Amino acid sequence: GAVVSQHPSRVICKSGTSVKIECRSLDFQATTMFWYRQFPKKSLMLMATSNEGSKATYEQGVEKDKFLINHASLTLSTLTVTSAHPEDSSFYICSARPRRSPGNTIYFGEGSWLTVV
Amino acid sequence: AQSVTQLGSHVSVSEGALVLLRCNYSSSVPPYLFWYVQYPNQGLQLLLKYTTGATLVKGINGFEAEFKKSETSFHLTKPSAHMSDAAEYFCAVILNSGGYQKVTFGTGTKLQVIP
């Protein structure tokens, strides 16, 4: 099946620094990638949708300047958490929709645990 | 607007018993419906999906779900629970909106399997 890889799987950073999380579709071209955040004991929250070559569409309440999303190619999207704060500590998951996606199936990465200290 | 409701944030079943995880949705257009499973400290894995055609869909690990349009439901079932089924399960609705795809997840149901 289609594989989506996220890196790093775990990262610890200091408050005030920036951290980048990569999401790669390994065996397909992804026209659309999604970024989610999962709070403890809560469901996934869609942060933004990115289409290759265009600006990401952010969900209401998500700070664009804090969570920078770049979808530079059909196989790579990055999420950069800028000026990280302990409140940004969370589990971040990306997903990707293949260019040809029967039934609109999307595939998820393994997720990235971010801890801001 | 679309929404997904999963009844019961925690469900406990005995090993070998029937598993039933409930999912109801609201959508103004025919949706695509999915169930994902998340094992501890891992990402999401697709269990099964309904797009068109047969309303009873079978997925991995012996799970199946039935799309009932009249009830706007897509409940997940498994005849006999196994210890390895302990995980969190998410129901999701996917719609195409204005050329873009929007995914809405339910709040998740944590399944506990008791030996």
Side-chain angles (χ1 to χ4, degrees), chain A residues 10 34 36 38 42-44 46 49 51 54 57 59 91 93 97 102-106 108-111 113, chain B residues 32 34 36 38 41-46 49 51 88 90 94 96 99-103 105-108 110:
Chain A
R10 292 182 182 273
F34 307 86
Y36 305 84
Q38 187 176 32
K42 292 191 176 181
S43 184
L44 294 158
L46 178 64
T49 302
N51 291 284
S54 61
T57 301
E59 296 298 303
F91 187 52
I93 304 176
R97 176 174 178 256
N104 283 295
T105 300
I106 56 176
F108 286 84
E110 289 288 320
W113 290 97
Chain B
Y32 297 114
F34 298 74
Y36 289 90
Q38 185 178 31
N41 300 318
Q42 294 187 25
L44 292 166
Q45 181 181 0
L46 178 66
K49 62 182 179 182
T51 54
E88 191 155 18
F90 292 92
I94 295 178
N96 286 316
Y100 292 94
Q101 194 177 57
K102 187 171 178 68
V103 185
F105 283 90
T107 51
K110 194 161 285 187

Side-chain angles (χ1 to χ4, degrees), chain B residues 22-71:
Chain B
R22 299 177 185 274
C23 173
N24 288 87
Y25 70 92
S26 67
S27 171
S28 57
V29 297
Y32 297 114
L33 298 161
F34 298 74
W35 275 99
Y36 289 90
V37 59
Q38 185 178 31
Y39 296 101
N41 300 318
Q42 294 187 25
L44 292 166
Q45 181 181 0
L46 178 66
L47 264 183
L48 49 78
K49 62 182 179 182
Y50 169 79
T51 54
T52 59
T55 56
L56 180 64
V57 293
K58 296 184 184 298
I60 61 172
N61 302 336
F63 283 93
E64 60 182 37
E66 185 172 9
F67 169 57
K68 292 187 177 180
K69 186 178 179 180
S70 60
E71 299 177 7

